[in-house]
Amino acid sequence: MTPRLPALLALLFCLAVGSGAATAAEPKKVFHTAFSAPETSLDPAKIVDLYSRNVTAHIFEALYTYDHLARPAKLKPQLADGPPEVSPDFKVWTFKVRRGIYFADDPAFKGKKRELMAQDFVYAMKRIADPANKSPVVGGMLSVGYVGLKALREEAIRDKKPFDYDREIDGMRALDSHTVRFTLEQPRPRLLENLASPDLFGAQAREVVEHYRDQIDAHPVGTGPFRLKQWRRGSLIVLERNPDFREEHYTAEPAPDDAVGQAILKRMKGQRLPIVDEVHISIINESQPRWLAFLNRQIDAMATVANGVPPDFTAHAMPNGKLAPNLAKQGIVGLREVNSDVFFTFFNMEHPLVGGYTPEKVALRRAISLAYDVKREIALYWKSNGVPAQSPLLPHTTGYDTAFKSEVADYDPARAKALLDLYGYVDRDGDGWRELPDGKPLLLEMTTNPEQRFRVLDELLKKAMDAVGLRVKFVVGHWPENLKQARAGKLMMWQLGVSAAAPDGQGSLARLYGPECHSQNMSCFKLPAFDQLYERMQQLPDGPERAALFAEAKRIATAYMPIKHRVHRIDIDLLHPWVLGYRRPQFWLDWWHLIDIDLSRRPAG
């Protein structure tokens, strides 16, 4: 568990806050932030990367969301009109949709106000299943088991015809204008967590998609607090207050003994949302310019996984875990927390060199893992702001155990060499490098990013591989292209990070679930025993039987090593004193509408 912030820190949040929307006589409240990597699209059906999802989460809305101040995480209705009606077997879920909710105005509506309908949820979710959209989360959608959805998708693929959005299926059905029902093939006790993702599953109006067609990724239109004002791809994204957003006020339910949460609630409660008028997101790939932009007050906060303090500047921000004196003098607020994420290396299980399930292939991956010093990475790259990962499970999620220990985090070059020797990876020609068991050359290829910060990681890997006689070369590519190539199964090895999107730990295991190959499962690990375990876990309520399956999932992940889980990051957030009401979200991405900017404290210009 993350330690409770001291009461003194809570006082930093008890600053006076201004009113919500700016009037004609008032300057706009603009929140300036930055991403460390570019977005890929603003079409929910075509994204999975964190940067794009941070944006769409503020434009679209889902049936449910998370209480922003509650710890532990707690779901509450967003567009749903109260709790669902659920069958005893958790297979049939019926939701009432709030009335009087409208989409942001758009030319696609031809001058008419467009009310949210139950069918808008059905349509949005069907778009993910449409083969034409090549959604990276389609595997997860299908694994939920909506009755008839998989057959509808397979028919479009088999007959090479457009996906039939007009075909009603039992799994997703609008019973009337404001009632939607989901019927599932198997019990899904935690379905609400799947539906609480506005960034992916938020309601969409069909006429907008059909109006913009191939340009829909640049025209996101939702019911959320913001709408897209400007987009220079890979450079700048500007969101503005949605003038058609309903009258919604700040509410939350932090625990009575939660000093920080109660302080934020006291000062923010009742303000009309969104509180800020615009959000400006700059894409600043390199760490140093991003850090300088914060110090020069060009961005207001370095906060959350998408744009927290870069690892190479954490020692400047919070040396020894305490806010640097020069920052404290400026009133800057610093927060430090173990994030619900993991930084990892995946091996392409379909690659002829590192993939496969035979003993010698498993031995190669395990040897690479044992040869790599995670603690050294944490010290040098993360500046001691990290925890060694022991399994696919993420902090703060079901199944994660701080006491669990596995080979995943072991650093043992001697054992790595012994494994390589035992399975025939030896130096036959005396050049100092090992060959494959059949005598052919052995050359590892690690895909990397061009930013300066990745050179440290590349050097750590090269030294580790050199030490055990494995040659490695680095293939440089930009983040969006690397992600695309990874999903297509064209990379041998790549390193990246992911964050939890829900409190249940099973979401992390999707990276090892066979049907998610070329989607979340970038390693394309396919093991029937694991897939059966995964599917059984989906059906079970939380309890001892499900906990035993989590333990077995960890064992399989360690044994086959399709992914080298390396580090759970300890993130540092920095906020200038005029940013009010911030609290790091745990499993959700929408929070820009919940903060305020005190213009009286922000320097002019």
Side-chain angles (χ1 to χ4, degrees):
M1 297 294 292
T2 303
R4 185 181 305 281
L5 295 172
L8 179 61
L9 180 59
L11 296 178
L12 293 172
F13 292 95
C14 296
L15 302 171
V17 294
S19 59
T23 65
E26 295 176 332
K28 287 183 178 180
K29 293 181 177 181
V30 180
F31 176 58
H32 296 269
T33 187
F35 288 167
S36 59
E39 74 294 339
T40 57
S41 171
L42 297 183
D43 180 358
K46 299 173 184 175
I47 62 175
V48 74
D49 64 286
L50 187 64
Y51 309 99
S52 302
R53 291 173 59 191
N54 264 270
V55 180
T56 57
H58 292 87
I59 295 174
F60 299 94
E61 293 182 294
L63 286 165
Y64 289 83
T65 187
Y66 289 91
D67 186 311
H68 190 58
L69 300 184
R71 302 293 187 276
K74 180 170 64 177
L75 285 164
K76 66 179 184 179
Q78 186 171 64
L79 294 181
D81 190 6
E85 177 185 319
V86 188
S87 65
D89 62 1
F90 296 106
K91 289 185 178 181
V92 182
W93 296 68
T94 305
F95 302 85
K96 291 291 184 180
V97 178
R98 292 173 63 180
R99 294 179 180 273
I101 306 294
Y102 294 90
F103 284 91
D105 185 35
D106 189 86
F109 299 135
K110 300 178 180 179
K112 298 179 180 179
K113 290 190 70 174
R114 170 61 157 81
E115 186 177 5
L116 171 73
M117 298 291 176
Q119 187 63 35
D120 297 322
F121 292 100
V122 176
Y123 177 70
M125 296 173 79
K126 281 185 173 179
R127 288 195 68 231
I128 292 174
D130 184 347
N133 290 325
K134 299 179 181 178
S135 175
V137 298
V138 66
M141 170 73 77
L142 296 178
S143 74
V144 175
Y146 296 97
V147 175
L149 184 63
K150 184 177 181 180
L152 189 62
R153 171 182 167 84
E154 289 178 345
E155 180 181 308
I157 295 172
R158 182 188 68 241
D159 298 340
K160 298 181 180 180
K161 65 180 184 180
F163 187 85
D164 190 353
Y165 285 96
D166 295 315
R167 172 94 60 83
E168 284 200 350
I169 58 174
D170 290 336
M172 300 175 175
R173 178 166 291 179
L175 302 184
D176 58 41
S177 63
H178 288 79
T179 307
V180 62
R181 174 173 290 170
F182 299 114
T183 303
L184 311 169
E185 296 169 351
Q186 301 291 339
R188 292 291 182 264
R190 290 159 295 277
L191 183 67
L192 285 191
E193 292 185 12
N194 290 83
L195 301 177
S197 298
D199 47 307
L200 299 176
F201 307 134
Q204 287 184 276
R206 182 172 179 174
E207 54 265 52
V208 173
V209 177
E210 293 181 346
H211 178 80
Y212 291 106
R213 298 184 181 277
D214 292 344
Q215 301 301 314
I216 187 58
D217 70 326
H219 297 276
V221 179
T223 62
F226 295 105
R227 66 181 183 182
L228 183 65
K229 179 180 180 180
Q230 182 183 0
W231 184 20
R232 297 204 304 264
R233 293 175 187 263
S235 175
L236 176 69
I237 303 169
V238 177
L239 303 183
E240 65 178 354
R241 176 190 300 277
N242 174 8
D244 298 298
F245 190 61
R246 60 193 175 276
E247 186 169 344
E248 193 96 352
H249 297 268
Y250 193 110
T251 61
E253 295 182 356
D257 62 348
D258 180 353
V260 171
Q262 290 293 340
I264 296 173
L265 178 62
K266 182 179 180 180
R267 295 301 181 179
M268 309 298 287
K269 186 177 180 179
Q271 293 203 65
R272 186 166 181 176
L273 304 177
I275 302 172
V276 299
D277 298 291
E278 291 187 358
V279 178
H280 292 202
I281 309 136
S282 300
I283 315 302
I284 309 176
N285 300 84
E286 293 289 353
S287 300
Q288 186 178 42
R290 200 161 67 254
W291 173 249
L292 292 175
F294 176 77
L295 294 181
N296 293 332
R297 302 173 178 177
Q298 295 168 317
I299 59 177
D300 299 314
M302 304 189 82
T304 73
V305 181
N307 72 327
V309 176
D312 37 343
F313 287 96
T314 54
H316 296 76
M318 296 188 78
N320 301 315
K322 294 183 179 180
L323 185 65
N326 65 309
L327 300 180
K329 288 179 182 178
Q330 301 175 52
I332 290 171
V333 176
L335 305 172
R336 188 172 183 265
E337 184 174 333
V338 177
N339 194 39
S340 185
D341 74 359
V342 66
F343 199 78
F344 65 92
T345 299
F346 76 81
F347 301 96
N348 183 350
M349 294 294 286
E350 295 182 338
H351 194 280
L353 196 152
V354 298
Y357 303 81
T358 54
E360 74 277 6
K361 296 297 186 181
V362 173
L364 176 60
R365 295 192 297 271
R366 292 180 72 159
I368 292 171
S369 175
L370 286 166
Y372 187 77
D373 190 347
V374 169
K375 290 183 179 179
R376 184 170 176 79
E377 175 186 330
I378 292 173
L380 295 182
Y381 183 76
W382 304 105
K383 309 302 180 185
S384 300
N385 290 295
V387 178
Q390 305 287 349
S391 80
L393 280 301
L394 309 183
H396 314 301
T397 67
T398 311
Y400 179 78
D401 180 2
T402 55
F404 179 76
K405 175 72 175 65
S406 77
E407 181 190 294
V408 171
D410 285 355
Y411 171 57
D412 194 336
R415 193 154 37 124
K417 291 178 181 178
L419 262 178
L420 293 168
D421 291 342
L422 180 63
Y423 286 92
Y425 297 96
V426 296
D427 177 14
R428 291 176 172 79
D429 57 12
D431 65 352
W433 302 110
R434 296 175 185 268
E435 283 82 45
L436 291 167
D438 62 5
K440 294 180 180 178
L442 196 171
L443 178 62
L444 302 174
E445 290 186 0
M446 168 64 88
T447 297
T448 188
N449 296 11
E451 289 78 27
Q452 177 69 29
R453 64 185 184 274
F454 284 97
R455 294 182 186 177
V456 176
L457 295 174
D458 296 344
E459 290 172 3
L460 286 172
L461 179 64
K462 186 177 188 308
K463 288 181 179 179
M465 296 302 100
D466 286 354
V468 295
L470 294 175
R471 282 191 300 172
V472 59
K473 77 171 184 178
F474 296 91
V475 181
V476 181
H478 290 280
W479 162 261
E481 184 60 26
N482 287 346
L483 186 62
K484 181 179 178 181
Q485 294 293 311
R487 291 203 195 103
K490 295 182 179 180
L491 306 183
M492 182 191 295
M493 300 160 58
W494 189 36
Q495 57 190 355
L496 68 160
V498 296
S499 298
D504 185 51
Q506 183 156 4
S508 304
L509 300 181
R511 291 191 298 278
L512 300 170
Y513 181 50
E516 290 271 16
C517 174
H518 300 310
S519 181
Q520 294 188 67
N521 180 1
M522 286 183 276
S523 70
C524 275
F525 179 67
K526 297 177 183 178
L527 190 72
F530 185 91
D531 293 346
Q532 292 166 15
L533 175 154
Y534 182 92
E535 291 160 5
R536 178 62 178 154
M537 287 181 67
Q538 286 183 306
Q539 302 173 32
L540 290 173
D542 292 332
E545 184 179 355
R546 194 163 188 262
L549 294 179
F550 270 117
E552 178 64 8
K554 295 177 187 178
R555 188 193 68 78
I556 293 174
T558 301
Y560 285 91
M561 200 67 70
I563 298 174
K564 164 72 170 177
H565 295 95
R566 288 157 45 189
V567 181
H568 302 305
R569 293 170 285 192
I570 298 176
D571 276 350
I572 291 176
D573 296 338
L574 293 183
L575 303 101
H576 283 294
W578 50 84
V579 179
L580 310 176
Y582 173 78
R583 189 172 210 183
R584 170 176 276 260
Q586 285 186 311
F587 306 113
W588 53 98
L589 301 172
D590 48 325
W591 58 274
W592 296 334
H593 61 304
L594 300 172
I595 59 169
D596 197 1
I597 300 294
D598 185 349
L599 296 177
S600 68
R601 303 191 69 181
R602 174 190 261 166

